[in-house]
Amino acid sequence: MSRFIQLVREIHRRSIWQVLGIYLFASWIVFQVVQTFTEGLGLPEWIPGLASVLLLIGLPIVLATAFVQEGVGRSAPEHSSKVEASDAGPASMSEASEAAGVRGMFTWRKALVGGALAFGLWGVIATGWLIFGDRAVAESIEGRKSVAVLPFVNMSADPENEYFSDGITETIIAHLSRIADLKVISRTSVMQYKDTDKNVRQIAEELEVATILEGSVQRSGDRLQITAQLIDAESDDHMWAEQYNRELTDIFSIQSEVAEEIAAVLKATLTAAEREQIERPPTLNIDAYNLYLLGRSWWNKRTADGLERAIEYFDQAVEQDPNYALAHVALAETYALLPWYAEWPPAETYPRATAAALRALEIDDRLGEAHNTLAAVRTWYDWDLSSVEQGYREALALSPNYSTAHHWYGQFLGYVGRLDEAMAELELARELDPLSSIINTNLADLYYLQRRYDEAIERYETILELEPGFGSAYWGLGKAYLQKGMFEEAVEALRFEDSGELTAAYTALGRDSEAAAVLEASRDRSLRNQLAAHVGVGDVDGAFAILERAYEERASFLLEEPNNDPYYDGLRSDARYTELMQRIGLQR
């Protein structure tokens, strides 16, 4: 008990109570400032909590520092003053005592200031490390204005209404994608979570977003019930929820309201132009909208049959409402993809794609999707490489979250040899559509074109782990193996789609009869396949004959091959190659 009383007296003698009071008052001020900055700058909600912990930890450090330093400060000066006083007399004793008191006062103040500065410095370092040193935390700060719209659940009695609930999901994504201040995940990636067992946190981590929007749709005749809720993926808290019971004709206003509510909750800046685009109904004809959604359901299959069926529905939608701009855009996108997925003749499809895109822009020149498709067609078919870049930039300015625009613009940059810029643009496309096999494959293709074969192989293999049957990844993998001299592995990969490059692998292995069989079989396949097969057996004249046919047919693959592909290095010393590239507009 006596020791405790002695400790209390010592604390009082050393003015520790003053240090405690000043520290608590200063801590309160610091905490108020932190809270103000957290709210004003939109920092994570855990920042004030972190400040509280640091201040509490600092309290014993500062008190201990003050206690020890004050003890040292009092004992030494007092001893010194006694010696001086004994030698100097009463007057000097008084002055010495006063000086000792002043020195003692400054000692504990210095202890307090020193301790506070030491703790403050330590707090700054700790906070800076947590916020800026740890990448995951930094990404979570940047990702606060990010959202993935999961497929809305079809609650209707008729399972055939699945296309309708999917269409609502897609429309809300399209609305949100127009907001430049938001990161919005594309349809391709979110649709992979349909009927998933994964929880919100898992999905958010895989898609690299901070929030998830989920909901349901129930359609009964002309009545519509839509529920939606926005969830914070980290805390699993509901940030916003709403239920809409409206007439079917109110579908467009509901979708606009949902998009604007999400922007408001996430504190995303919504410009007047963006708001106007979101609130403008795409059509006043519900039948046309229904046909459009049916067409999109087929278009999203990305098969030859799916694209052809999609055209039928989009045509009907345009008949119902000739001023339905999005239906014209959908027609343009479908015709633009047919040569890639269904091997339709470019001369038959690309002019139709151009006409449809131009018609859409006549109706609404602020549709980024239309600008993007028009730029793509002028790239793939018109080979107007000197002027199309502005079209891609306009598309991205109007639809900054449109992953396809980033994707196709990145491909264009690759065609003209700007591979580093192409990589950056495709990375943006991947961020918005992280589970897209074709975007990830085209990123791997860029590593291959840069002759970074090991990195390309690693990426192709990752894609095939997620989607084992994706032919484009096998094709790229096989070509990378060829360049590394791994011919047996190349054969295994290229066999997946009987690629023309098999001739090169078989020839390198001395299996000439198999190479000849692949060359013969290629005659009934695409010009791209024929070209690869002839190059693989060293038939340069045959390769240039095919290149001339491809030029006459405006084959899009001429922009990729043989322009950048290492597989065609053997052709580039031939004068015919230089002349062909000049005709296409690809100067080297």
Side-chain angles (χ1 to χ4, degrees):
M1 188 67 180
S2 59
R3 289 186 178 181
F4 176 77
I5 294 173
Q6 185 179 1
L7 175 62
V8 171
R9 287 175 178 172
E10 191 66 18
I11 289 174
H12 179 72
R13 186 180 69 83
R14 301 189 186 194
S15 302
I16 302 304
W17 300 118
Q18 297 178 43
V19 176
L20 175 62
I22 294 173
Y23 184 87
L24 292 177
F25 179 74
S27 297
W28 179 80
I29 293 176
V30 169
F31 185 78
Q32 298 302 315
V33 171
V34 169
Q35 275 197 317
T36 301
F37 273 91
T38 299
E39 294 172 1
L41 299 178
L43 297 177
E45 295 179 356
W46 49 262
I47 292 293
L50 173 63
S52 299
V53 171
L54 291 175
L55 290 168
L56 287 173
I57 293 173
L59 177 58
I61 297 174
V62 171
L63 291 178
T65 303
F67 186 91
V68 173
Q69 292 296 324
E70 187 68 11
V72 173
R74 282 189 179 276
S75 59
E78 284 179 5
H79 173 73
S80 175
S81 62
K82 286 179 181 178
V83 173
E84 293 168 1
S86 64
D87 295 336
S92 297
M93 286 179 63
S94 175
E95 292 174 1
S97 297
E98 184 178 352
V102 170
R103 284 195 297 269
M105 180 177 64
F106 279 105
T107 300
W108 73 258
R109 286 183 179 175
K110 286 189 289 184
L112 172 61
V113 172
L117 286 175
F119 166 69
L121 179 60
W122 174 65
V124 168
I125 293 171
T127 304
W129 181 85
L130 283 169
I131 297 176
F132 302 107
D134 185 80
R135 186 172 181 179
V137 174
E139 289 177 351
S140 73
I141 293 171
E142 296 173 355
R144 298 309 299 174
K145 295 181 182 180
S146 56
V147 61
V149 183
L150 296 187
F152 275 45
V153 179
N154 174 32
M155 302 295 289
S156 306
D158 186 357
E160 294 298 322
N161 278 328
E162 193 79 14
Y163 78 91
F164 190 80
S165 59
D166 287 348
I168 289 177
T169 305
E170 188 169 347
T171 303
I172 292 174
I173 291 173
H175 281 336
L176 291 170
S177 294
R178 299 189 189 284
I179 304 174
D181 199 30
L182 276 180
K183 172 187 172 182
V184 185
I185 301 301
S186 296
R187 178 197 182 282
T188 307
S189 288
V190 297
M191 281 299 171
Q192 298 190 37
Y193 294 97
K194 198 166 191 174
D195 302 320
T196 184
D197 293 329
K198 294 182 178 180
N199 59 43
V200 167
R201 183 186 289 266
Q202 287 176 293
I203 296 171
E205 287 177 354
E206 292 176 7
L207 296 178
E208 300 176 7
V209 293
T211 60
I212 296 289
L213 179 71
E214 59 182 18
S216 63
V217 181
Q218 185 171 355
R219 180 180 178 182
S220 180
D222 292 333
R223 295 293 301 176
L224 194 64
Q225 182 182 91
I226 295 179
T227 62
Q229 54 187 0
L230 185 67
I231 303 171
D232 185 308
E234 184 176 353
S235 64
D236 206 30
D237 292 336
H238 287 68
M239 305 172 69
W240 168 84
E242 189 61 80
Q243 180 172 317
Y244 303 88
N245 291 284
R246 308 269 186 89
E247 296 291 330
L248 183 60
T249 51
D250 290 332
I251 180 62
F252 304 120
S253 62
I254 295 173
Q255 293 165 339
S256 299
E257 288 175 31
V258 170
E260 291 181 9
E261 288 285 355
I262 292 171
V265 171
L266 296 182
K267 298 181 181 180
T269 301
L270 186 61
T271 67
E274 290 168 349
R275 187 182 300 277
E276 196 277 334
Q277 280 289 88
I278 290 171
E279 292 180 350
R280 174 187 292 184
T283 179
L284 298 178
N285 189 312
I286 292 299
D287 291 334
Y289 177 67
N290 196 61
L291 289 164
Y292 170 80
L293 294 185
L294 283 166
R296 277 296 182 192
S297 69
W298 282 100
W299 187 87
N300 286 315
K301 296 179 185 297
R302 296 296 181 95
T303 62
D305 180 59
L307 293 174
E308 291 165 1
R309 292 288 300 276
I311 287 174
E312 296 176 12
Y313 285 112
F314 294 145
D315 277 335
Q316 293 176 51
V318 168
E319 289 176 8
Q320 290 282 337
D321 181 1
N323 291 319
Y324 193 175
L326 286 178
H328 288 287
V329 171
L331 276 171
E333 291 176 333
T334 309
Y335 281 121
L337 290 178
L338 278 172
W340 298 90
Y341 288 89
E343 296 189 5
W344 279 36
E348 183 178 343
T349 63
Y350 285 140
R352 295 185 188 183
T354 299
L358 289 172
R359 176 62 183 134
L361 291 173
E362 285 178 9
I363 301 167
D364 186 354
D365 63 358
R366 289 169 294 180
L367 288 175
E369 298 89 341
H371 284 284
N372 181 62
T373 303
L374 190 60
V377 171
R378 287 177 174 168
T379 301
W380 297 334
Y381 184 67
D382 298 328
W383 294 341
D384 185 13
L385 303 180
S386 61
S387 63
V388 298
E389 186 166 5
Q390 182 58 33
Y392 288 116
R393 291 185 177 274
E394 287 179 9
L396 289 169
L398 292 165
S399 299
N401 285 289
Y402 188 37
S403 64
T404 301
H406 288 287
H407 182 193
W408 290 357
Y409 180 37
Q411 285 187 304
F412 161 78
L413 293 169
Y415 299 157
V416 296
R418 293 156 60 182
L419 298 184
D420 289 338
E421 294 175 73
M423 184 80 74
E425 205 62 43
L426 280 169
E427 282 289 358
L428 289 173
R430 190 207 64 79
E431 287 180 15
L432 296 169
D433 203 352
L435 302 184
S436 168
S437 295
I438 188 60
I439 290 175
N440 281 295
T441 297
N442 287 157
L443 260 173
D445 292 341
L446 284 175
Y447 284 96
Y448 166 75
L449 295 178
Q450 291 179 327
R451 300 165 195 259
R452 297 159 63 179
Y453 302 122
D454 289 332
E455 293 168 271
I457 288 170
E458 182 179 351
R459 284 176 173 263
Y460 288 128
E461 290 176 340
T462 299
I463 294 164
L464 290 170
E465 287 175 6
L466 297 173
E467 190 172 347
F470 197 64
S472 295
Y474 274 112
W475 178 51
L477 180 63
K479 292 198 296 179
Y481 281 142
L482 276 178
Q483 297 304 316
K484 285 183 66 66
M486 300 168 65
F487 302 117
E488 292 286 0
E489 292 84 349
V491 167
E492 291 303 312
L494 294 169
R495 270 179 180 167
F496 190 83
E497 289 198 327
D498 292 328
S499 303
E501 289 85 355
L502 273 168
T503 57
Y506 284 137
T507 299
L509 293 168
R511 294 156 63 176
D512 295 338
S513 60
E514 290 172 276
V518 172
L519 178 64
E520 180 63 29
S522 73
R523 301 183 192 281
D524 297 324
R525 307 194 67 196
S526 67
L527 289 176
R528 181 202 290 263
N529 197 285
Q530 293 178 46
L531 175 65
H534 280 271
V535 169
V537 296
D539 182 7
V540 175
D541 291 337
F544 275 104
I546 293 167
L547 285 170
E548 281 300 323
R549 287 175 54 196
Y551 177 82
E552 292 170 5
E553 294 184 15
R554 313 293 286 186
S556 302
F557 77 84
L558 287 180
L559 297 172
E560 298 177 290
E561 306 162 71
N563 186 36
N564 292 315
D565 195 329
Y567 184 78
Y568 297 100
D569 282 351
L571 300 180
R572 297 197 180 103
S573 60
D574 195 299
R576 289 173 290 183
Y577 168 80
T578 303
E579 192 270 336
L580 176 64
M581 292 298 107
Q582 289 174 343
R583 277 187 281 157
I584 294 173
L586 293 169
Q587 300 294 328
R588 294 186 64 86

